[in-house]
Amino acid sequence: MSALTELCQRISGCSACGLARQRKRVVPGEGAENAKIVFIGEAPGQQEDIQGRPFVGPAGQFLDELLVSAGLRRSEVYICNVIKCRPPQNRDPLPSEIQACESWLNLQLELVKPRMVVTLGRYSMAKYFPQQSISKIHGRVKRQDGILYFPMYHPAAALHQQSLRQVVEQDMLKIPRLLAEIDGVEEEQQEIKPQQLTLF
Ligand code: URA
């Protein structure tokens, strides 16, 4: 069993906050273990709580469409949430719940080691862009320690607010170029190796 599968099993048994009493299923996350890109949402909704999988309800259908538009297959990315259990009536996550779940998310990221992190909505954005406003920074990349952080509106926000739909679609279309940038860096690094070898 891979370390990530083992971690997700541990997450599934978590009872670190009160949400453990109300959930049907824990939603640890899913996708490619070595994904270059990780999408982080907010919290499971009703469908996710039933199925134990992230983004399988209406917001997930829209996310699937967005991924296709960017030439990405769901199986090649990793998708998870800031908190792994559904809050009652889909209320906003509490700071204490986010804190209780934080180490799970950190461990997931340590194992997947993505080159790009896409935050979907305010809660995952706050982890990497504290005190920032999503209306100001969505679609603008931050490069830090070799990782690209890319904040987007949550797909559900675009479903509720028609004017955001195009914004979300356009932001998603910026991702292929950013991934190409990462590939370019990797190629450059590979190219350097033979030169280094001839030096010694
Ligand atoms: N919204 C999220 O933030 N995450 C999900 O998994 C589903 C809906």
Side-chain angles (χ1 to χ4, degrees), residues 27 40-49 53-60 63 74 79-83 120-121 124 154-156:
V27 184
I40 310 175
E42 179 179 320
Q46 186 180 31
Q47 273 307 312
E48 290 78 19
D49 183 51
R53 298 181 55 211
F55 282 97
V56 289
L63 179 61
R74 212 176 147 114
I79 304 177
C80 60
N81 285 301
V82 171
I83 64 169
L120 301 172
S124 48
H154 196 287

Side-chain angles (χ1 to χ4, degrees), residues 4-194:
L4 188 60
T5 305
E6 205 176 306
L7 174 64
C8 289
Q9 284 192 356
R10 280 169 56 209
I11 297 174
S12 295
C14 180
S15 56
C17 79
L19 295 179
R21 286 192 296 275
Q22 323 208 15
R23 70 185 180 218
K24 289 191 174 65
R25 307 262 309 255
V26 181
V27 184
E30 67 181 24
E33 306 227 334
N34 56 353
K36 207 169 270 181
I37 176 166
V38 168
F39 290 83
I40 310 175
E42 179 179 320
Q46 186 180 31
Q47 273 307 312
E48 290 78 19
D49 183 51
I50 292 169
Q51 297 186 40
R53 298 181 55 211
F55 282 97
V56 289
Q61 278 170 22
F62 184 38
L63 179 61
D64 286 346
E65 284 172 33
L66 292 167
L67 290 175
V68 169
S69 77
L72 292 168
R73 278 169 288 121
R74 212 176 147 114
S75 59
E76 70 183 311
V77 306
Y78 194 79
I79 304 177
C80 60
N81 285 301
V82 171
I83 64 169
K84 315 300 189 195
C85 297
R86 182 190 182 203
Q89 279 79 49
N90 298 345
R91 65 153 167 74
D92 288 346
L94 302 174
S96 60
E97 292 160 356
I98 294 171
Q99 203 186 352
C101 233
E102 194 178 9
S103 60
W104 293 135
L105 177 57
N106 291 340
L107 286 168
Q108 286 176 308
L109 292 165
E110 268 173 41
L111 290 176
V112 178
K113 295 189 182 58
R115 299 295 311 277
M116 180 168 185
V117 172
V118 179
T119 62
L120 301 172
R122 286 181 294 136
Y123 288 91
S124 48
M125 182 192 76
K127 182 173 172 64
Y128 302 103
F129 302 88
Q131 316 296 330
Q132 301 267 21
S133 143
I134 197 159
S135 62
K136 292 219 178 81
I137 66 161
H138 72 87
R140 289 168 53 183
V141 72
K142 171 170 93 170
R143 295 170 178 82
Q144 194 173 303
D145 302 329
I147 299 178
L148 306 188
Y149 296 93
F150 188 69
M152 288 183 57
Y153 279 102
H154 196 287
L159 294 181
H160 297 134
Q161 210 177 316
Q162 192 59 28
S163 61
L164 284 183
R165 195 179 173 102
Q166 261 199 339
V167 175
V168 172
E169 287 170 349
Q170 281 168 5
D171 285 348
M172 184 61 101
L173 291 177
K174 294 179 186 171
I175 290 180
R177 199 180 296 170
L178 294 166
L179 287 174
E181 178 186 313
I182 292 168
D183 289 338
V185 170
E186 276 173 6
E187 255 173 48
E188 250 173 52
Q189 282 166 349
Q190 278 164 9
E191 275 166 21
I192 290 168
K193 280 182 198 150

